[in-house]
Amino acid sequence: VDQASGEKLITELRRVVGDNHVLSESELRARYERDWTGRFVGQCQAVVRPANTDEVAQVVSILNNLGVAAVAQGGNTGLVGGGVPRGGEVVVTLERLTEIASLDKRSRQVTVGAGATLQSLQSHLQGSGLAFGVDHGARSAATIGGMVATNAGGIHALRYGTMRFAVAGLEAVFSDGTVMSRMSGLVKDNAGYDLPQMIVGSEGTLALVTKARLRLVKDLPERATALFAVDDTQSAVELLMLLRDEVPSLEAAEVFYKDGLELVSSYLGMHKPFAGDHPAYVLVECAASYDPTEELAQAADGANTRDVAVAVDAVRRNELWSYRESHTEAINAQGIPHKLDVSVAVSAMPEFEAQVRELIAEAAPQALCILFGHLGDGNYHVNILGLEPDDETVDRRVCELVAYCEGSISAEHGIGIAKRDLLSLTRTEQEIEAMRKIKAALDPNNILNPGVIF
Ligand SMILES: Cc1cc2nc3c(=O)[nH]c(=O)nc-3n(C[C@H](O)[C@H](O)[C@H](O)COP(=O)(O)OP(=O)(O)OC[C@H]3O[C@@H](n4cnc5c(N)ncnc54)[C@H](O)[C@@H]3O)c2cc1C
């Protein structure tokens, strides 16, 4: 970028959002330039912080006219490098669009600014009798816009689905600065292509999400949480099948293993949940308007488990969850991991688990492989420590195995830049070509997150 056009850009952006909201100094930009894992780092020309939809539209229009690329950013908790610059872009952070409108109880919907965090939405709903069906471990920082853009899944997908199911409408800014506002939240609305749903999961490449109209679910105040120790993944899957059939209040079913529990317990300085060690663990949560403990206990009675720890109060429940939810942080504290977020059919999980461990042990004997994930969705997070950051050989082999098992190379984190060279393992040439045509039609100058997905 030559100095004159760089200065022109900054001046134009400042005119729209004010001097304080265009960050061009390197120390101010730094936190927006590095991703959560530390694996993806790049430099941008500036970070711009619009306050509302109109400012986002003006900012995008300026960037489009000057041919400067825009990287949308929410809470920067994404794990595939799609929300940080690669070099020379402008980061458009939606962090100031935090408004949450008052609750519409009759439609069971709420309109939320793209920059509101998941946790702030959860707090907003507290005591209302309604809740948001999508939840995950990065709730304190992940934004609704980022969750829409990645079609986030999380711990309740087995009951309520992913973000896609929760989106009843969207407001978004296209690459030429025009605003689409489809916020009526109608249950039935089949007038042409469903543009909001096309933007869900598009990772900032088709439009910038400014607001979302979200469907809510009934808040279920009575909970039962239990951690089961089991023999192996096969027993974990059998337990899941049993609970799915017999426990209507089942809301979450997560899996992790002995090595992950070891790491998390020492990272958190917590006692392990059982006196002895076990090969695999299944964390289960049920929620209902009645106390679901009895139905969970009855169903589990017939299951092949080695031990169980039950939470009787909120403190113990948080403790049991922290064994699972602290995996990501505990792994990151060991070094920069290669993270592969993949899914296979639930019934294929035992075979996939055995094969992926074997593959990694053979391809990178020095590496440490920690597996955990959302059992109910066939979703494994394969974390590999001890590989060179830029060496993709093992990643590719793991994804080839996923493709062989007829799974997906991205269950919930997206493709970003981390997996773009692997997309063809999971999508046909014709499908990728159709995606490229959609991208070219909606963003002809290729300014919205270029290099992400493709
Ligand atoms: C500890 C931890 C646990 C996690 N657990 C889960 C989990 O269980 N399930 C899950 O699905 N994910 C999980 N994630 C991943 C991550 O939190 C989600 O992908 C989240 O939805 C990203 O939101 P964000 O606001 O941080 O987005 P960012 O990281 O800022 O951005 C992610 C992508 O979305 C784009 N984007 C962001 N905002 C917008 C916008 N307003 N308009 C258009 N594009 C935008 C970015 O360009 C980028 O491509 C976890 C992450 C961590 C660190």
Side-chain angles (χ1 to χ4, degrees):
V1 185
D2 69 63
Q3 200 177 345
S5 54
E7 279 168 13
K8 179 172 185 297
L9 170 68
I10 302 291
T11 309
E12 290 208 22
L13 293 175
R14 289 206 159 127
R15 192 174 42 74
V16 176
V17 299
D19 288 358
N20 291 342
H21 297 297
V22 179
L23 315 177
S24 53
E25 299 80 6
S26 65
E27 50 298 356
L28 296 178
R29 296 189 326 249
R31 83 177 172 91
Y32 301 88
E33 294 182 324
R34 184 186 178 85
D35 87 320
W36 194 89
T37 64
R39 187 172 170 212
F40 301 101
V41 188
Q43 268 191 11
C44 60
Q45 291 193 54
V47 176
V48 56
R49 306 195 301 174
N52 52 46
T53 306
D54 182 47
E55 288 188 7
V56 175
Q58 289 189 57
V59 164
V60 172
S61 177
I62 290 169
L63 297 176
N64 193 38
N65 290 338
L66 296 177
V68 176
V71 176
Q73 193 179 97
N76 198 10
T77 67
L79 299 171
V80 287
V84 287
R86 275 70 67 190
E89 305 93 332
V90 164
V91 170
V92 182
T93 167
L94 286 299
E95 67 190 357
R96 291 175 68 211
L97 278 69
T98 54
E99 197 182 335
I100 306 181
S102 60
L103 195 58
D104 179 353
K105 281 202 167 184
R106 282 177 303 181
S107 68
R108 283 196 173 180
Q109 292 178 359
V110 65
T111 296
V112 185
T117 62
L118 173 58
Q119 197 164 60
S120 67
L121 173 61
Q122 290 170 337
S123 309
H124 185 82
L125 297 175
Q126 211 149 35
S128 69
L130 294 171
F132 187 51
V134 184
D135 190 15
H136 66 61
R139 59 184 73 79
S140 65
T143 63
I144 294 303
M147 290 175 64
V148 169
T150 56
N151 185 24
I155 55 181
H156 295 155
L158 96 163
R159 187 170 201 175
Y160 299 119
T162 61
M163 273 308 272
R164 187 177 296 293
F165 294 82
V167 170
L170 277 190
E171 181 190 81
V173 174
F174 288 122
S175 67
D176 61 358
T178 54
V179 178
M180 176 197 71
S181 187
R182 180 126 317 288
M183 299 292 277
S184 54
L186 296 174
V187 175
K188 293 187 171 177
D189 184 4
N190 287 347
Y193 299 142
D194 192 339
L195 297 178
Q197 283 296 335
M198 197 164 71
I199 291 167
V200 177
S202 64
E203 301 186 53
T205 64
L206 297 183
L208 267 63
V209 176
T210 46
K211 278 182 195 159
R213 180 88 181 150
L214 298 175
R215 290 190 184 93
L216 303 172
V217 299
K218 191 169 160 32
D219 186 28
L220 299 168
E222 301 286 338
R223 283 176 185 270
T225 309
L227 180 66
F228 293 93
V230 294
D231 284 336
D232 52 19
T233 307
Q234 184 60 39
S235 311
V237 168
E238 280 162 19
L239 175 63
L240 170 73
M241 302 292 178
L242 186 83
L243 299 182
R244 248 186 357 197
D245 286 347
E246 295 184 19
V247 183
S249 58
L250 184 65
E251 184 157 290
E254 303 280 308
V255 66
F256 52 91
Y257 296 89
K258 182 167 170 275
D259 48 5
L261 179 66
E262 199 85 49
L263 193 69
V264 167
S265 308
S266 88
Y267 172 74
L268 295 175
M270 272 168 74
H271 290 297
K272 286 194 246 169
F274 302 105
D277 288 335
H278 301 281
Y281 301 90
V282 178
L283 179 66
V284 167
E285 187 155 287
C286 302
S289 47
Y290 51 88
D291 183 352
T293 311
E294 191 51 38
E295 68 183 24
L296 175 60
Q298 261 184 17
D301 218 23
N304 173 26
T305 60
R306 296 163 68 123
D307 207 344
V308 61
V310 179
V312 288
D313 56 30
V315 174
R316 183 67 175 144
R317 177 174 306 126
N318 289 340
E319 231 171 71
L320 292 186
W321 269 104
S322 63
Y323 292 121
R324 160 62 185 87
E325 289 202 321
S326 299
H327 266 69
T328 311
E329 253 179 77
I331 291 166
N332 246 51
Q334 304 299 305
I336 295 179
H338 282 233
K339 300 182 83 67
L340 294 157
D341 155 48
V342 303
S343 66
V344 294
V346 172
S347 56
M349 289 180 87
E351 196 191 334
F352 175 77
E353 187 236 342
Q355 289 193 17
V356 79
R357 288 191 193 279
E358 204 176 298
L359 183 161
I360 293 167
E362 180 258 310
Q366 82 291 357
L368 178 65
C369 159
I370 308 274
L371 292 180
F372 63 95
H374 309 295
L375 177 68
D377 316 318
N379 180 183
Y380 266 128
H381 297 311
V382 180
N383 287 262
I384 315 167
L385 282 159
L387 299 177
E388 287 301 319
D390 294 329
D391 185 353
E392 301 284 331
T393 330
V394 179
D395 302 44
R396 174 167 278 279
R397 287 192 55 190
V398 170
C399 289
E400 283 168 355
L401 174 63
V402 172
Y404 173 77
C405 296
E406 298 182 354
S408 173
I409 63 159
S410 174
E412 53 178 17
H413 296 163
I415 294 295
I417 56 169
K419 288 183 178 171
R420 63 186 170 189
D421 296 338
L422 303 170
L423 183 61
S424 61
L425 290 172
T426 254
R427 294 289 178 264
T428 64
E429 216 177 282
Q430 291 78 3
E431 284 172 308
I432 295 172
E433 191 46 35
M435 290 188 211
R436 283 187 189 281
K437 284 181 182 158
I438 292 168
K439 166 74 174 165
L442 291 181
D443 181 17
N445 298 331
N446 196 22
I447 63 141
L448 298 183
N449 235 354
V452 164
I453 301 182
F454 312 109

